[in-house]
Amino acid sequence: EERLLDYSARIIRLTEKMTKSPAKKHVSNQLLRSGTAPMAHHGEAQAAESPKDFIHKFRIALKELRETSRWLKLAQRVPLVTKPDLLSELLDETEQLIRIFHKSISTAQKKLK
């Protein structure tokens, strides 16, 4: 939970700096939505009504993390931030979270069977 809270806070701080051009505004809005959603879906998964519901909510969080990864890569490539190299650390954290969620889903599916 703490890691996802920190991740969401980093996404918010990043998007707060991206508001000058139409492209920056568009990407920052997408990043804000997809980058903070995993935290909420993780919370929903903790209150899942069944193992299948837990897996479903984790899959949604995983989908949002993958989307966030793509938006971050775009912001880095354009670049939409003054120091695009600084996004590498956030991209790395995104990839780590993707692996964690993927493994959690896999483990939950094995337990379900």
Side-chain angles (χ1 to χ4, degrees):
E1 180 179 350
E2 286 299 314
R3 191 166 179 180
L4 287 169
L5 282 168
D6 289 341
Y7 180 78
S8 294
R10 290 172 70 188
I11 292 290
I12 290 169
R13 285 192 295 272
L14 170 65
T15 60
E16 287 289 312
K17 296 175 184 175
M18 297 173 61
T19 57
K20 299 199 183 216
S21 73
K24 287 179 182 181
K25 192 172 220 169
H26 172 70
V27 173
S28 70
N29 285 337
Q30 295 294 333
L31 266 172
L32 184 60
R33 186 196 55 73
S34 67
T36 57
M39 178 195 62
H41 291 297
H42 180 267
E44 289 180 16
Q46 288 178 319
E49 296 175 9
S50 68
K52 285 184 179 182
D53 189 36
F54 174 86
I55 292 167
H56 174 70
K57 288 177 181 1
F58 258 56
R59 280 187 178 148
I60 294 170
L62 178 59
K63 180 181 132 212
E64 296 291 350
L65 285 165
R66 287 183 173 142
E67 180 180 343
T68 301
S69 175
R70 283 161 177 83
W71 287 118
L72 287 169
K73 288 175 185 175
L74 178 63
Q76 189 177 45
R77 183 164 298 178
V78 170
L80 297 176
V81 293
T82 54
K83 296 180 182 179
D85 291 343
L86 296 179
L87 293 181
S88 295
E89 188 178 317
L90 192 52
L91 270 164
D92 181 58
E93 177 68 1
T94 305
E95 295 305 317
Q96 288 182 38
L97 288 169
I98 286 170
R99 287 192 298 274
I100 290 167
F101 273 79
H102 182 60
K103 184 65 176 172
S104 295
I105 291 165
S106 178
T107 300
Q109 287 174 325
K110 285 177 186 173
K111 287 181 180 180
L112 190 60
K113 292 178 182 176

